[in-house]
Amino acid sequence: MRTTVLLVTALFFQFIMSPVQGQQISKRQLQKIKSATQEEVENRHKETQVMIDKVFSFAELGFQEYETSKYLTSLLTAAGFEIEYGVAGIPTAWMARWRFGEGPTIALGSDVDCIPKASQYPGVAYHKPMVEGAPGHGEGHNSGLPVIITAALSLQNQMQAHNLGGTLIVWPGIAEELVASKAWYVRDGYFDKIDLCIFTHVSSNLSVSYGQATGTGLISVEYTFEGEAAHSAGAPWRGRSALDAAELMNIGWNYKREHLHPLKRSHSIFTDAGDQPNVVPSKASIWYYFRDITYDGIMKMYNDANNIAQGAAMMTDTKVTSKIVGTAWPRHFNKVIAETMYQNIQTVGLPNWSAEDQTLAQAVQKEVNSDNTEGLATELSALGKPLDRPRSGGSDDIGDISWAVPTVTLRFPSNIPGLQGHHWSNAIAMATPIAHKGGTAGAKVVAMTVIDFLAQPSLVQQAKDYFNNVQTKETRYQPMITEKDPPPIYLNKGIMETYRPALESFYYDESKYDTYLEQLNISYPELKKSE
Ligand SMILES: [Zn+2]
């Protein structure tokens, strides 16, 4: 009897309390919810600043994002998210899930790793490493998840306040600079039950695009040659040099380069070039990124490189093996999400930059001889539409996710325009008011766009229609990795072990200092003394 009463009571409460997908929401009501969401994000500006500064101070390379992941998941756990750790066999990867009733499942992600040798004091307009030779946020990935988490925490409150049902999944792009996590997430099914994905990336404007993105996809492959060691002077005729083979492969590929279409790009480093000159190297390795604007083009380059590697092995009587270290599909973004998001971009607009922000930006642009000397962006970019002619450039493994679920990347204005990228100068703005304000603008757009989709189920369907009937109509996603390829989680371990002790003394302590600039005793902006 008592159970029945409880059950009836429970059902009753579920009926009146359970969040619904908001079919009955009027345009006016929707606008009200979005204004409240925007206001909530604005009120969380301090939290956003702390997160951006804190992740900046950890300065962790791909697969070594231990402090970053520990810190960010602790915030999400405190907010009631359930966390799955060690996603896709990657120790620093995780997925955080928060469900409120029925509704679409929306994934919100961004990258977290930094760049080798990019250590740099923030707010200082010239090269001044915090720890000489150490990694640093010379791209600005420290701002991405703070934007996402600010949006997610604001959404939790707004979804509850307005009874909007749905599930939020917050996730990190681990080792994006190695493009070595997202294809593994897709392979291992982490995006199978997700309706939409909103990804963010630092930029110097507030923008979004649809269709094939500017830039390339890539396959990252390491070739290892194995020969025979010998005394380099005593019995060189008994040696078979693996390094000769790696060098010959490089020469072969560089001849090939003359005949590559200009949209293709490739670059390499030697990861093992022997130990010392008097020992014929028995092992040597060379690591390539092969980039093109189509999957077929990438795989053709990969095939050609495999042939050149075999040729180099034959010439030197060595053996060659190879392994895939990373992959990224060329990106294709969803038209319906992009158009919806762009309306919110226009509502939010660019941040109000202070005179100090502009002074820093222009000083940095001058310092690196940029063509752009205008400082920070003051005009919004237009909605990015498919290009008549594709343009080459970088890659991002969000590409793989964009072929698994309808996806866009919101680019938010936390950095200075006109810098060369993957460089200490790209770290300068990343723990200053420029990054903080850009982050708040980005979080507003993310949160408001999620509200649009939670409140209007027909929009979710339209986004899926574009994905099913336009995007994937002629192109079929084929993973570049097999079921067996493991994520290369060993990468960057040694570098982080070398620099972490020195970096630890620079971790941001938000309990003692209002901002990281304050902790570092920087009077913002710090300009070069004129000589
Ligand atoms: Zn990036």
Side-chain angles (χ1 to χ4, degrees):
M1 181 63 192
R2 215 176 139 212
T3 330
T4 321
V5 173
L6 277 178
L7 192 69
V8 170
T9 318
L11 281 171
F12 173 73
F13 272 102
Q14 202 186 356
F15 175 71
I16 56 159
M17 301 298 288
S18 78
V20 286
Q21 287 182 275
Q23 290 95 329
Q24 285 93 16
I25 284 182
S26 69
K27 280 265 177 266
R28 242 182 89 199
Q29 234 176 327
L30 178 59
Q31 285 316 318
K32 259 178 77 180
I33 301 173
K34 282 166 67 177
S35 300
T37 306
Q38 196 178 350
E39 208 179 300
E40 171 149 8
V41 172
E42 182 64 46
N43 292 338
R44 289 178 180 272
H45 183 71
K46 173 67 191 166
E47 287 169 66
T48 312
Q49 170 253 310
V50 170
M51 287 189 272
I52 288 175
D53 287 0
K54 193 109 173 160
V55 178
F56 183 94
S57 76
F58 294 144
E60 292 177 307
L61 289 169
F63 291 122
Q64 308 304 320
E65 308 95 333
Y66 289 97
E67 290 297 329
T68 304
S69 284
K70 196 169 83 185
Y71 166 65
L72 295 174
T73 54
S74 75
L75 301 176
L76 289 162
T77 304
F81 278 78
E82 259 174 56
I83 320 267
E84 180 182 347
Y85 296 94
V87 160
I90 301 170
T92 52
W94 45 272
M95 297 262 159
R97 169 186 292 264
W98 182 77
R99 184 177 167 199
F100 182 63
E102 297 302 316
T105 300
I106 301 183
L108 306 171
S110 199
D111 305 321
V112 289
D113 57 325
C114 77
I115 300 283
K117 296 188 177 70
S119 177
Q120 168 68 31
Y121 274 92
V124 175
Y126 51 92
H127 190 203
K128 187 181 176 191
M130 293 170 70
V131 176
E132 185 70 49
H137 273 287
E139 166 133 340
H141 285 176
N142 61 302
S143 57
L145 269 190
V147 164
I148 289 296
I149 292 174
T150 305
L153 302 186
S154 306
L155 282 164
Q156 282 185 302
N157 286 342
Q158 297 301 322
M159 286 163 72
Q160 286 170 326
H162 304 284
N163 215 29
L164 282 174
T167 299
L168 305 176
I169 311 265
V170 175
W171 60 277
I174 292 299
E176 190 280 331
E177 298 302 343
L178 306 165
V179 289
S181 69
K182 299 185 191 99
W184 278 265
Y185 297 164
V186 171
R187 182 191 73 181
D188 294 350
Y190 285 94
F191 281 80
D192 287 357
K193 289 182 185 146
I194 285 171
D195 294 298
L196 309 172
C197 175
I198 294 179
F199 189 69
T200 66
H201 197 282
V202 60
S203 180
S204 53
N205 208 312
L206 193 56
S207 62
V208 69
S209 69
Y210 68 87
Q212 171 145 11
T214 296
T216 56
L218 71 80
I219 190 162
S220 157
V221 190
E222 185 177 40
Y223 294 88
T224 295
F225 294 89
E226 210 175 325
E228 179 83 34
H231 193 301
S232 304
W237 50 89
R238 292 180 65 179
R240 287 177 287 118
S241 170
L243 181 58
D244 289 355
E247 287 186 274
L248 284 165
M249 175 174 188
N250 207 24
I251 290 164
W253 184 259
N254 282 334
Y255 272 94
K256 175 83 194 166
R257 195 185 295 277
E258 183 187 347
H259 307 287
L260 294 179
H261 189 279
L263 288 169
K264 293 178 194 268
R265 286 188 186 164
S266 66
H267 12 265
S268 61
I269 61 161
F270 286 98
T271 45
D272 182 359
D275 299 301
Q276 55 187 64
N278 64 341
V279 182
V280 172
S282 59
K283 273 203 170 162
S285 300
I286 182 165
W287 179 15
Y288 284 92
Y289 278 16
F290 300 113
R291 306 194 199 231
D292 196 7
I293 59 157
T294 65
Y295 166 80
D296 290 338
I298 295 164
M299 297 317 266
K300 171 81 169 67
M301 285 170 97
Y302 178 35
N303 186 55
D304 291 346
N306 287 344
N307 289 339
I308 289 172
Q310 289 295 344
M314 280 173 77
M315 282 189 274
T316 50
D317 195 16
T318 56
K319 278 200 194 103
V320 65
T321 53
S322 69
K323 65 179 166 192
I324 295 172
V325 192
T327 76
W329 254 69
R331 292 154 287 177
H332 188 111
F333 294 128
N334 189 275
K335 187 178 181 192
V336 177
I337 312 177
E339 286 175 343
T340 307
M341 180 175 269
Y342 193 69
Q343 290 178 16
N344 296 321
I345 285 175
Q346 287 174 302
T347 305
V348 171
L350 286 165
N352 290 318
W353 308 117
S354 68
E356 289 80 12
D357 300 336
Q358 289 291 12
T359 303
L360 178 76
Q362 287 177 334
V364 176
Q365 289 170 335
K366 194 171 158 236
E367 182 69 15
V368 300
N369 297 315
S370 176
D371 291 341
N372 185 339
T373 52
E374 311 265 284
L376 300 164
T378 51
E379 248 175 74
L380 278 180
S381 315
L383 172 65
K385 295 184 178 166
L387 300 169
D388 294 340
R389 271 203 256 164
R391 213 181 301 148
S392 191
S395 320
D396 188 320
D397 51 356
I398 191 62
D400 290 75
I401 290 169
S402 77
W403 288 96
V405 292
T407 300
V408 296
T409 294
L410 169 72
R411 298 166 68 83
F412 57 90
S414 283
N415 216 333
I416 300 166
L419 310 182
Q420 65 250 56
H422 294 180
H423 188 249
W424 53 263
S425 61
N426 292 71
I428 292 172
M430 290 315 305
T432 71
I434 298 171
H436 307 145
K437 290 178 206 173
T440 292
K444 286 176 181 173
V445 175
V446 171
M448 291 160 80
T449 307
V450 171
I451 295 283
D452 277 322
F453 283 92
L454 293 177
Q456 303 169 95
S458 61
L459 262 189
V460 178
Q461 196 46 54
Q462 286 171 38
K464 287 185 179 178
D465 289 346
Y466 175 86
F467 181 83
N468 292 326
N469 303 327
V470 180
Q471 179 182 344
T472 57
K473 205 173 165 208
E474 277 160 15
T475 306
R476 194 171 60 87
Y477 175 74
Q478 295 159 265
M480 296 183 212
I481 48 170
T482 65
E483 287 301 316
K484 284 193 204 129
D485 292 306
I489 56 174
Y490 55 86
L491 287 171
N492 293 325
K493 193 163 183 276
I495 303 176
M496 260 349 273
E497 276 169 6
T498 303
Y499 291 106
R500 195 184 288 283
L503 289 167
E504 272 171 1
S505 60
F506 285 96
Y507 287 176
Y508 171 42
D509 183 353
E510 72 276 27
S511 68
K512 286 200 191 131
Y513 302 97
D514 186 30
T515 65
Y516 194 39
L517 289 176
E518 191 187 309
Q519 179 172 331
L520 298 172
N521 206 14
I522 289 162
S523 58
Y524 176 76
E526 201 174 300
L527 306 178
K528 210 174 196 174
K529 308 263 179 301
S530 46
E531 284 127 18

